[in-house]
């Protein structure tokens, strides 16, 4: 059976089972809760996410060394880097603008009596300054960067290493062969892991839906729907338009191929953990050459979060409306700028978008405690926005590759290219 279908079945089964357990009101000390939900299923979900995460550091390093080695040889690294970062910033800017616009039109927090909403305690964590963020991109110790999984530092080291490798003549060529082989092995490992996705996703969804609080949603339905609408508009209008105009490819084909990373992103709420799946899909199914994909995808998983920016845009307007605080045009520009900047240097892990929101709110003088209002339903939105974050990375990688002549159209147009079929690559 088709892998996407199997993942969808896993998801649906998890959703149904989780909801049933929740509706049945199974007490926390019942054996179903203790052994099944908090035991086997929770462990299963954790193991799935961990096995994806375990791939991230070796894969990004090896793949990017290969990519930088061939890019370094062509000498067009600066251009590819500039285009990628530029497109990431522009798409995030567009995302948050759409969010602000829709939120202002819909007015999700208008007329709501703030007294009706409970504000649980929310303690914002201190955020880094932009200067520190920039300085911290450069590692002092690459081993430490890998041990901590600091993506931007790993990217910098891999790029430098790859470029040096491409300039080292015979020795460089020998090592390059080893890295290319390692890359193949790691890709194979991901293919093996993706086959487990239906089971992992089933565990994650079951546990999530036994724990999720629906009762919050009705109070916040306008906020929830505004975020969802903005996510849909961004994913179904902005990305397809960019793909059609800038990459001159069929967006339907692109979205078809991106189904698996989207589903994994949705179930794990982490673009970081989804990275191995995204990278494999973008290279093997979409046809983006390693030179571009190995750089654009890990970078995107770290700095490009369009879905997150959308949530932040809507949340800012929502909180301002609840607290009856008027924002000026300049404030909105500030929100666009801060939210775009805040995405840089923040890892793609569940819920991190809310932490970054504190920085945006502070910038325009809104009460940070307002985050408490939307805390309850953020888990669900996190799933949706992470899927958008991941598609955004794939879109930009495809556009950059196409403009650099690094998109293999035969692979792109072949519906079976890179499909995971019984472990065969
Ligand atoms: N979970 C999101 C991601 O990993 C980040 C966030 O919005 O919280 O991309």
């Amino acid at each position: 059976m088709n892998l996407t279908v199997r993942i969808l079945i896993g998801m649906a089964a998890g959703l149904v089972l989780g909801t049933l357990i929740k509706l049945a009101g199974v007490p926390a000390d019942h054996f179903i809760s203790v052994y099944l939900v908090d035991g086997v299923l929770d462990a299963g979900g954790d193991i799935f996410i961990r096995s994806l995460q375990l791939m991230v550091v070796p894969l990004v390093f090896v793949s990017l060394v290969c990519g930088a080695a061939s890019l370094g040889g062509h000498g067009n690294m600066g251009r590819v880097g500039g285009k990628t970062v530029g497109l990431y910033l522009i798409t995030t800017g567009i995302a948050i603008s759409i969010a602000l616009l829709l939120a202002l039109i819909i007015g999700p927090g208008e007329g709501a009596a703030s007294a009706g909403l409970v504000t649980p305690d929310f303690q914002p964590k201190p955020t880094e300054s932009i200067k520190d963020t920039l300085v911290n991109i450069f590692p002092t110790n690459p081993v430490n960067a890998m041990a901590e999984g600091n993506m931007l530092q790993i990217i910098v080291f891999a790029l430098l290493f790859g470029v040096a490798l491409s300039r080292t003549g015979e020795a460089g060529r020998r090592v390059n062969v080893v890295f290319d082989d390692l890359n193949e092995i790691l890709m194979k490992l991901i293919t093996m892991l993706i086959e487990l996705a239906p089971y992992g996703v089933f565990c994650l969804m079951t546990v999530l839906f036994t724990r999720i609080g629906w009762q919050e949603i009705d109070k916040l339905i306008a906020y929830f729907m505004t975020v969802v609408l903005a996510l849909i508009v961004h994913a179904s209008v902005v990305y397809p338009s960019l793909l059609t105009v800038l990459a001159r490819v069929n967006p339907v084909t692109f979205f078809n191929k991106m189904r698996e990373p989207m589903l994994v992103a949705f179930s794990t709420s982490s673009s970081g953990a989804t990275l191995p799946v995204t990278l494999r899909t973008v290279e093997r199914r979409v046809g983006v050459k390693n030179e571009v994909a190995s750089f654009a995808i890990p970078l995107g998983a770290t700095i490009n979060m369009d879905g997150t920016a959308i949530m932040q845009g809507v949340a800012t307007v929502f909180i301002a409306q609840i607290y009856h605080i008027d924002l000026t045009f300049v404030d909105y520009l500030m929100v666009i700028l801060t939210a775009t900047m805040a995405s840089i240097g923040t890892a793609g892990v569940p819920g991190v978008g809310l932490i970054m929101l504190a920085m945006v709110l502070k910038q325009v003088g809104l009460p940070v405690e307002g985050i408490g209002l939307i805390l309850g339903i953020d888990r669900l939105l996190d799933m949706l926005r992470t899927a958008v974050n991941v598609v955004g990375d794939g879109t930009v990688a495809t556009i950059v590759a196409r403009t650099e002549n690094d998109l293999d159209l035969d692979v792109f147009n072949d519906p079976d290219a890179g499909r995971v079929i019984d472990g065969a690559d």
Side-chain angles (χ1 to χ4, degrees):
M1 206 192 285
N2 180 326
L3 180 68
T4 311
V5 177
R6 284 195 290 140
I7 297 181
L8 280 171
I9 293 176
M11 263 180 161
L15 195 149
V16 171
L17 182 64
T19 311
L20 283 179
I21 296 177
K22 170 124 190 149
L23 288 180
V26 179
D29 53 1
H30 191 274
F31 81 92
I32 290 187
S33 304
V34 178
Y35 295 109
L36 187 69
V37 179
D38 296 334
V40 178
L41 294 176
D42 199 27
D46 263 356
I47 291 172
F48 175 59
I49 293 197
R50 279 164 169 264
S51 51
L52 286 174
Q53 283 170 332
L54 94 92
M55 299 291 307
V56 173
V57 171
L59 182 70
V60 170
F61 182 66
V62 169
S63 169
L64 194 49
V65 167
C66 297
S70 42
L71 265 188
H74 301 153
N76 50 6
M77 193 144 156
R79 202 178 57 228
V80 171
K83 262 190 214 173
T84 312
V85 174
L87 276 170
Y88 279 148
L89 295 180
I90 292 170
T91 47
T92 308
I94 297 177
I96 183 152
S97 307
I98 292 176
L100 288 176
L101 209 69
L102 283 176
L104 285 172
I105 295 172
I106 297 172
E110 237 144 47
S114 32
L117 294 166
V118 260
T119 315
D121 266 350
F122 178 78
Q123 292 298 337
K125 289 195 190 132
T127 42
E128 268 188 342
S129 75
I130 292 180
K131 176 191 153 203
D132 286 344
T133 308
L134 286 178
V135 171
N136 283 339
I137 292 176
F138 295 88
T140 50
N141 179 341
V143 178
N144 203 27
M146 289 188 198
E148 286 173 356
N150 185 323
M151 202 53 64
L152 293 179
Q153 296 192 348
I154 299 172
I155 289 175
V156 168
F157 180 61
L159 281 176
L160 293 174
F161 189 87
V163 172
L165 187 149
S166 72
R167 297 186 179 171
T168 318
E170 199 38 53
R173 265 187 291 280
R174 280 197 303 270
V175 175
N176 206 347
V177 172
V178 175
F179 269 88
D180 279 339
D181 289 351
L182 277 175
N183 198 27
E184 277 305 311
I185 297 170
L186 289 171
M187 281 286 174
K188 183 74 191 176
L189 187 48
I190 297 162
T191 311
M192 288 156 57
L193 285 176
I194 301 181
E195 287 200 77
L196 298 177
Y199 309 101
V201 162
F202 167 73
C203 295
L204 288 171
M205 296 293 279
T206 312
V207 175
L208 185 69
F209 278 81
T210 54
R211 293 182 182 161
I212 216 153
W214 290 104
Q215 56 281 29
E216 301 272 351
I217 289 202
D218 49 348
K219 282 189 232 136
L220 296 168
I221 195 86
Y223 164 75
F224 187 87
M225 293 314 289
T226 311
V227 177
V228 172
L229 184 67
L231 290 173
I232 293 176
V233 169
H234 193 64
S236 63
V237 178
V238 178
Y239 293 147
S241 310
L242 291 175
L243 284 165
T244 312
V245 176
L246 299 179
R248 285 166 288 116
V249 293
N250 185 347
V252 178
T253 313
F254 172 82
F255 273 90
N256 256 331
K257 300 213 165 186
M258 288 294 288
R259 281 183 311 212
E260 278 141 24
M262 282 170 79
L263 292 176
V264 175
F266 180 83
S267 339
T268 58
S269 288
S270 165
S271 34
T274 313
L275 201 161
V277 185
T278 320
L279 189 59
R280 183 191 179 281
T281 304
V282 167
E283 278 189 24
R284 305 272 155 122
R285 303 242 324 112
V286 178
V288 175
K289 298 228 173 94
N290 167 266
E291 287 98 295
V292 173
S294 66
F295 171 69
I297 297 300
L299 188 69
T302 316
I303 74 166
N304 183 52
M305 294 184 188
D306 295 355
T308 304
I310 285 173
M311 176 279 285
Q312 293 179 340
V314 178
T316 309
V317 174
F318 177 72
I319 291 171
Q321 288 171 345
I322 292 274
Y323 285 92
H324 304 290
I325 297 171
D326 284 329
L327 295 179
T328 63
F329 183 67
V330 178
D331 286 335
Y332 290 120
L333 285 185
M334 244 6 243
V335 172
I336 297 179
L337 203 73
T338 340
T340 310
M341 287 299 146
S343 342
I344 301 174
T346 312
V349 289
V352 77
L354 274 193
I355 297 169
M356 282 146 55
L357 178 59
M359 183 169 153
V360 180
L361 294 179
K362 259 194 228 144
Q363 197 67 40
V364 288
L366 287 173
V368 174
E369 316 83 77
I371 294 178
L373 297 172
I374 51 175
L375 211 58
I377 57 163
D378 195 64
R379 191 66 186 82
L380 274 179
L381 287 175
D382 199 2
M383 303 167 83
L384 294 167
R385 68 179 182 250
T386 306
V388 173
N389 289 346
V390 165
V391 181
D393 301 341
T395 304
V396 169
T398 307
I399 295 171
V400 174
R402 178 73 162 137
T403 58
E404 287 292 321
N405 224 351
D406 275 332
L407 182 69
D408 188 335
L409 285 176
D410 289 338
V411 173
F412 185 89
N413 290 319
D414 175 3
D416 288 330
R419 271 183 57 184
V420 180
I421 308 159
D422 295 335
D425 228 345

